[in-house]
Amino acid sequence: MTDSIRGTIGEDLMNAQATARFYSINGGNLTRMGIELAVTGNTGINLLNANGVGLFEMNFDLEQGISGRISMGGYDMSAGTIMSAINGMSTYKTSRDILNQGFSGDRAAAMRMLASYAADETDERFEQLMNGDAEFTIEEGDGNAKTEQDENGRISMRIDSQEGTNGDLLTGIALIHEAFRNGLDDGETGQQQETAESVIHHTIAAQMVGQGYGMSSLSDSLKDEIDILNSEGGIQKLAEHAVENYDWSADYWKLTKNGDLINDGSGYLKDEMGMYVNADGSRTTEITDQTIGAEGIETGLLNILNGGTSNTSYDSYSDEQIASVQALMYGAGMQSTSGDMREVRWNTGELNNSNLDRVIGSNSIVMDYGSSVAAPVFMNAFDDDSNTVLFGGNPQEIGNTLVGIPENSRSRFIDYTIAKADFYGTTSNIASDLSGLGISQIFQGADGYEDKQHRGTDIVGERGQELLSMYSGEVVDNATRDSSGNTAVIEYGFRFEGFFYTTGIQAQYMHLDEKSPLRVGTTVQPNSVVGKMGNTGFVKPEPSLTNPDGGTHLHYQLMSNTPWHSSDSEIWDIYNDRRDVFLNQIGAPSTSDWTTDSTDTLNSYSEYYENFYYNTNNMFDYLD
């Protein structure tokens, strides 16, 4: 019977215990009846009266409740005891429902605790889990928990497994904590408030666990939080404790533009643009089953440094690999709990704050992991060096750069530099046939536009003429819009080891005669046909029955894939160097020549894009 209600807390636990005591009058045959009730949903007892005369037959059914039939007498039992036993029946019914939904072991115990906590948030999360509108998993990790919500509103909760005989109770406390999280980024203030509320409620739950199962079932940190809760001004103190000691921020290893890794709370790899980096080469706003890294900052770092893998378990790594990664973390000034190497924790208590924003430098990373670190980290670490080799021009500077590449990284560096050289060395004109092409309007101030700026180059020619991608890249948009007509956008760059190296520049082809044949997400090469010159969307003169080719032209513009317009913004600078290298190679004006007036962000050609648009002058001098 104990196992069938384990995890239950509070009033539900007391009522369930009353039901258990009620059963015990049947000759102590508690185990058989408890199992029978939990498995079949029905059991019964026969009660002799005090004088041994008569029979009271009582049936317990999880669906129908308690029913009785007096045959020859009755049994003298208080009404309060019977009512407590009746109330306890619902606890057993909930337990059976949990088991029937496939929950077992620690997950079942945690679900019982969630069901019995009796708060609106926990009741709602319990129903979501029972109905399949949310999921809850227990996995190996560093003792963390995380809640995420996808674009469809589905909740996913992941809780690291808890060791010891009371691990199921600790898991239940963690599940109650996560029930007060919505899985969304609510901003700094919102995240702090949510974390404080979660900690307050998990502490109340921990106190209820201590009352029902003994304080020895709790960790020292939970006992300390209970002491805070029960002190004068305890709720406010506990809220302050939560903000100071729990990670309420985003959770990832942040990849900087120079290849450094910054600890931001957990173990998944995210770039400075705020995108998760995936092992299949893609970048997404949400964690996927391909996201490089893993839950837990140490497990995640092991994945990032040893092949750029996704969710490889901690136990898969050797002692030597773990010792090497821990050395990097300690070298960055990070601190852990003491104990066996495989048992240390990095996100416990005050260590959360002290370890956040610690930087593992790219030099340290490539010195030991140059041949195995995830390709995006490698590319960022050696971006400047490869540019020096390709564009430096000074033989001595190039030689010094090559000598400075760690031996374990040299072969990979050469492959990377060759891939970049191929990108810059293999180009195309805007069209295979340049005859008849000309420039009708350049990037310039112009009336007739909402922001008084024509943000690209208009190339005129014959309708139906094939237009080509000038560089390799990835197709990021292919759509039909009111103002720009049939439009395709290519982000210029190249692939290295399956990962896309972006120049930070996108090229937009507008007013195509038909929708582009290119599929979003595919890689294109120079000379790939983007589409045909046309006059769809807003053009002048408008096409008519008498002039069906009116307004035929290509509007070509370069633009940034950054969300900010100001050169003073931190995000502006992420790919600033890459952009300038690219623009210098194609002869376009550098970033210092781009307007940065934040009032000029509108683009009358496309409602879809509101990012910064770049100067394309001098790119098409060969058409003049």
Side-chain angles (χ1 to χ4, degrees):
M1 181 68 70
T2 302
D3 287 342
S4 65
I5 62 170
R6 183 168 172 81
T8 306
I9 55 176
E11 186 176 347
D12 283 357
L13 177 60
M14 290 187 290
N15 288 333
Q17 289 170 337
T19 304
R21 287 192 296 270
F22 191 66
Y23 281 148
S24 68
I25 62 178
N26 187 40
N29 197 8
L30 182 62
T31 302
R32 179 192 64 78
M33 297 179 64
I35 293 173
E36 185 177 73
L37 181 69
V39 173
T40 69
N42 183 281
T43 192
I45 59 175
N46 294 315
L47 304 177
L48 291 175
N49 67 14
N51 298 318
V53 178
L55 184 67
F56 180 74
E57 182 180 291
M58 184 166 282
N59 186 67
F60 288 71
D61 188 284
L62 291 180
E63 300 296 339
Q64 303 299 324
I66 299 178
S67 60
R69 181 170 61 87
I70 298 176
S71 177
M72 295 176 61
Y75 187 82
D76 185 15
M77 180 169 282
S78 71
T81 301
I82 294 176
M83 287 307 300
S84 292
I86 292 172
N87 290 333
M89 292 298 297
S90 65
T91 301
Y92 286 99
K93 181 180 185 303
T94 298
S95 181
R96 189 187 67 158
D97 291 342
I98 289 170
L99 296 174
N100 287 342
Q101 286 298 108
F103 294 96
S104 62
D106 288 3
R107 294 176 73 236
M111 285 290 287
R112 294 186 195 106
M113 190 178 298
L114 186 69
S116 57
Y117 185 69
D120 290 343
E121 292 83 353
T122 50
D123 288 347
E124 180 182 3
R125 189 58 53 84
F126 178 78
E127 290 301 321
Q128 290 173 333
L129 288 164
M130 293 294 285
N131 295 332
D133 296 329
E135 61 180 352
F136 154 44
T137 59
I138 301 175
E139 302 177 27
E140 294 292 329
D142 291 343
N144 298 313
K146 185 171 185 178
T147 296
E148 294 180 312
Q149 184 176 153
D150 65 19
E151 63 274 11
N152 298 317
R154 180 178 172 79
I155 297 289
S156 298
M157 293 180 291
R158 179 195 185 282
I159 297 176
D160 288 352
S161 59
Q162 307 287 332
E163 298 180 354
T165 56
N166 294 305
D168 53 351
L169 300 178
L170 299 177
T171 298
I173 294 170
L175 183 59
I176 287 174
H177 177 104
E178 294 304 307
F180 288 86
R181 291 191 176 278
N182 61 15
L184 301 173
D185 185 353
D186 298 314
E188 180 173 331
T189 300
Q191 290 296 106
Q192 290 179 348
Q193 291 174 343
E194 183 183 75
T195 299
E197 185 177 15
S198 298
V199 171
I200 290 168
H201 281 283
H202 89 220
T203 304
I204 294 172
Q207 184 163 261
M208 296 166 73
V209 169
Q211 292 166 348
Y213 299 89
M215 293 299 290
S216 61
S217 63
L218 301 175
S219 65
D220 290 341
S221 60
L222 286 173
K223 293 175 186 176
D224 290 341
E225 288 173 344
I226 291 172
D227 289 341
I228 296 173
L229 177 66
N230 293 325
S231 65
E232 184 177 354
I235 293 292
Q236 180 60 36
K237 290 179 181 178
L238 193 57
E240 294 171 355
H241 162 83
V243 173
E244 292 174 359
N245 294 282
Y246 283 80
D247 177 23
W248 47 262
S249 67
D251 49 355
Y252 48 80
W253 278 102
K254 183 189 295 182
L255 171 61
T256 67
K257 66 178 181 179
N258 67 348
D260 292 346
L261 290 175
I262 302 177
N263 172 37
D264 210 355
S266 186
Y268 288 104
L269 184 63
K270 206 174 189 183
D271 66 18
E272 282 186 297
M273 297 292 290
M275 303 292 284
Y276 286 103
V277 183
N278 300 316
D280 61 3
S282 64
R283 302 199 181 198
T284 53
T285 57
E286 302 290 339
I287 294 173
T288 73
D289 58 2
Q290 291 287 315
T291 302
I292 294 174
E295 282 287 351
I297 55 176
E298 183 183 345
T299 307
L301 191 57
L302 282 161
N303 277 259
I304 294 167
L305 298 179
N306 291 282
T309 54
S310 175
N311 292 311
T312 298
S313 69
Y314 190 77
D315 291 340
S316 300
Y317 294 99
S318 67
D319 288 348
E320 291 77 12
Q321 289 173 310
I322 290 172
S324 178
V325 164
Q326 289 183 359
L328 277 179
M329 297 171 76
Y330 290 131
M334 298 179 68
Q335 301 176 26
S336 71
T337 58
S338 58
D340 181 82
M341 175 179 65
R342 287 182 175 268
E343 302 298 327
V344 300
R345 297 289 182 264
W346 306 86
N347 280 10
T348 301
E350 294 182 0
L351 292 180
N352 271 332
N353 284 343
S354 65
N355 286 335
L356 283 175
D357 296 326
R358 295 289 183 177
V359 179
I360 299 180
S362 60
N363 289 337
S364 298
I365 292 170
V366 298
M367 188 63 66
D368 293 327
Y369 294 95
S371 62
S372 63
V373 68
V377 180
F378 184 91
M379 288 190 287
N380 283 21
F382 287 110
D383 200 29
D384 287 344
D385 288 334
S386 63
N387 288 338
T388 298
V389 172
L390 289 177
F391 312 121
N394 184 326
Q396 183 175 352
E397 185 180 11
I398 293 173
N400 290 339
T401 298
L402 290 172
V403 170
I405 304 299
E407 186 174 352
N408 68 348
S409 304
R410 286 177 186 170
S411 175
R412 198 177 185 192
F413 174 80
I414 292 172
D415 291 341
Y416 171 47
T417 305
I418 290 173
K420 185 182 287 189
D422 288 343
F423 166 74
Y424 281 104
T426 308
T427 64
S428 169
N429 288 321
I430 195 67
S432 56
D433 182 5
L434 301 180
S435 60
L437 295 184
I439 305 297
S440 62
Q441 189 171 200
I442 61 173
F443 183 100
Q444 62 184 4
D447 292 333
Y449 299 98
E450 190 173 357
D451 58 353
K452 305 296 184 182
Q453 179 68 49
H454 182 252
R455 297 191 168 276
T457 300
D458 284 348
I459 301 173
V460 295
E462 292 186 5
R463 183 180 172 191
Q465 187 166 1
E466 285 189 341
L467 302 170
L468 309 177
S469 176
M470 301 180 70
Y471 295 86
S472 65
E474 283 192 350
V475 182
V476 295
D477 190 28
N478 183 358
T480 301
R481 310 192 189 282
D482 291 341
S483 56
S484 58
N486 295 319
T487 302
V489 180
I490 298 171
E491 185 165 338
Y492 286 146
F494 61 93
R495 286 198 170 273
F496 174 67
E497 295 182 356
F499 291 87
F500 187 66
Y501 173 102
T502 179
T503 61
I505 296 289
Q506 296 176 343
Q508 191 169 26
Y509 292 69
M510 300 182 184
H511 310 300
L512 301 177
D513 194 44
E514 300 173 346
K515 193 171 182 180
S516 172
L518 301 177
R519 183 166 52 87
V520 172
T522 57
T523 301
V524 298
Q525 301 300 325
N527 291 312
S528 295
V529 176
V530 177
K532 298 179 180 180
M533 188 176 292
N535 55 1
T536 56
F538 177 72
V539 296
K540 292 183 178 180
E542 295 182 10
S544 63
L545 291 176
T546 58
N547 184 20
D549 296 336
T552 295
H553 74 287
L554 166 69
H555 177 100
Y556 178 94
Q557 64 183 30
L558 296 180
M559 55 192 184
S560 167
N561 61 355
T562 63
W564 303 107
H565 187 72
S566 171
S567 59
D568 295 329
S569 165
E570 177 184 354
I571 295 181
W572 168 277
D573 192 57
I574 295 172
Y575 292 122
N576 198 55
D577 293 340
R578 288 191 185 185
R579 287 196 297 266
D580 276 346
V581 169
F582 175 75
L583 293 168
N584 180 63
Q585 294 304 308
I586 68 175
S590 67
T591 53
S592 60
D593 294 326
W594 300 336
T595 177
T596 58
D597 183 354
S598 61
T599 63
D600 289 342
T601 60
L602 296 176
N603 170 28
S604 61
Y605 271 109
S606 175
E607 303 88 350
Y608 185 73
Y609 289 95
E610 294 182 357
N611 298 334
F612 186 80
Y613 296 81
Y614 298 158
N615 195 328
T616 52
N617 293 343
N618 307 325
M619 282 188 62
F620 299 103
D621 289 345
Y622 57 84
L623 297 180
D624 293 342

